[in-house]
Amino acid sequence: MSQLVGLLAASLILGAIARRSGRFPEQTALALNAYVLNVALPALVLRSVHRLTLVPELLVAAVTPWLVFGGAWLFFRAVGPRLGFTPQTVAALVLTGGLSNTAFVGLPLIEGLMGREGLQVAVVIDQLGSFLALGTVATLFAARAAAKDARPKTLLKKVLGFPPFIALVIAFLLHPWNWPAWVDVVLGRLGDLLTPLALFSVGFQLRFSQVKGRVRALVLGLGYKLALAPLTIALLLLAVPGMSRLTFDVSVLQAAMAPMVTGAILAADNGLDPELSALMVGLGIPLSFATVPCALWLLH
């Protein structure tokens, strides 16, 4: 757990220091975002989905990230305009508040809190839920929110050309076959770069001086992500007959995780309030280290 906290904190802090040092060009975040979305994330998707073991009884749990994203779409589109938020800010809140960091924060936290048995459930939620939602509906939403040309043909072309989505399709097509060990190693090395580079980029874009002017948006976004979303998932899963206590707990905790770093990168790459997206991640990750254990305590 300490290694996870150290990596996340170091990546964010080094990104912030890099910006202040003046030794990195202003376009650094854009270059890192391009690498994350076009190289590191596709490699991670290929490796993770290809190794996925489908467990039918966990499909209900895998649906929960989709429900969190759908709830975010409804909630922020209803409340945001009433608070005077721009369409770009609302879109940024949907992408950051609607996508959970079920992998780089979620998996280590679940393993630490629930053990190896909980980790098996968490992996299915991450790969069949968060990964698929990011590569499909979230990408389509971001393209629609940012596109000047919102014709279905144009939006579909952008989604189908999105490298993580292409990797997702290839991974499912190749799922029945094994590939050479060296391919798995190469994809693993490329995918391992995602978290430090993405958080470095977020840190580079962080402007804590802007927190004062974004308090309402941050309270709304983090309030949904860290409290309202897991509460809603818990209430919905209580109505599902036969669900084990372990699956219930892990599903709720994964819904309570911090905003997905790649969701913020996707928002920034599409020009959807990059400053707010960075703040959602920069504040949400440390807050989640306190709120997730509290959620587990409340469940018991």
Side-chain angles (χ1 to χ4, degrees), residues 178-278:
N178 293 323
W179 51 38
W182 66 267
V183 174
D184 197 66
V185 172
V186 170
L187 292 175
R189 294 295 186 183
L190 291 173
D192 287 343
L193 294 174
L194 191 149
T195 298
L197 289 183
L199 283 173
F200 186 95
S201 174
V202 169
F204 194 88
Q205 298 173 80
L206 271 179
R207 304 289 192 276
F208 284 115
S209 60
Q210 296 179 347
V211 169
K212 186 176 180 180
R214 314 305 296 270
V215 170
R216 289 194 304 168
L218 288 169
V219 169
L220 187 69
L222 293 175
Y224 174 84
K225 184 71 219 59
L226 302 178
L228 184 57
L231 176 61
T232 303
I233 292 300
L235 294 175
L236 290 173
L237 292 182
L238 285 174
V240 178
M243 175 170 282
S244 70
R245 184 70 195 193
L246 179 66
T247 301
F248 176 86
D249 288 349
V250 174
S251 300
V252 175
L253 292 182
Q254 283 285 54
M257 292 299 165
M260 183 189 288
V261 179
T262 318
I265 297 293
L266 182 62
D269 190 60
N270 284 277
L272 302 172
D273 206 336
E275 293 81 10
L276 176 62
S277 301

Side-chain angles (χ1 to χ4, degrees), residues 80-126:
R82 295 178 183 273
L83 296 177
F85 297 160
T86 66
Q88 291 75 22
T89 295
V90 171
L93 287 173
V94 172
L95 290 170
T96 53
L99 293 169
S100 304
N101 200 324
T102 54
F104 305 109
V105 174
L107 296 183
L109 266 181
I110 293 296
E111 184 175 16
L113 294 171
M114 307 292 293
R116 296 293 298 180
E117 291 184 356
L119 186 61
Q120 294 174 1
V121 180
V123 168
V124 174
I125 294 172
D126 174 59

Side-chain angles (χ1 to χ4, degrees), residues 29-49:
L30 294 177
L32 291 177
N33 293 352
Y35 181 87
V36 166
L37 292 177
N38 293 285
V39 180
L41 182 58
L44 185 66
V45 170
L46 272 172
R47 185 169 186 260
S48 299
V49 175

Side-chain angles (χ1 to χ4, degrees), residues 106-155:
L107 296 183
L109 266 181
I110 293 296
E111 184 175 16
L113 294 171
M114 307 292 293
R116 296 293 298 180
E117 291 184 356
L119 186 61
Q120 294 174 1
V121 180
V123 168
V124 174
I125 294 172
D126 174 59
Q127 295 178 9
L128 287 184
S130 300
F131 260 147
L132 288 180
L134 171 68
T136 54
V137 293
T139 302
L140 179 60
F141 172 81
R144 183 179 177 83
K148 296 180 180 179
D149 185 352
R151 291 176 299 175
K153 182 179 179 180
T154 303
L155 295 176

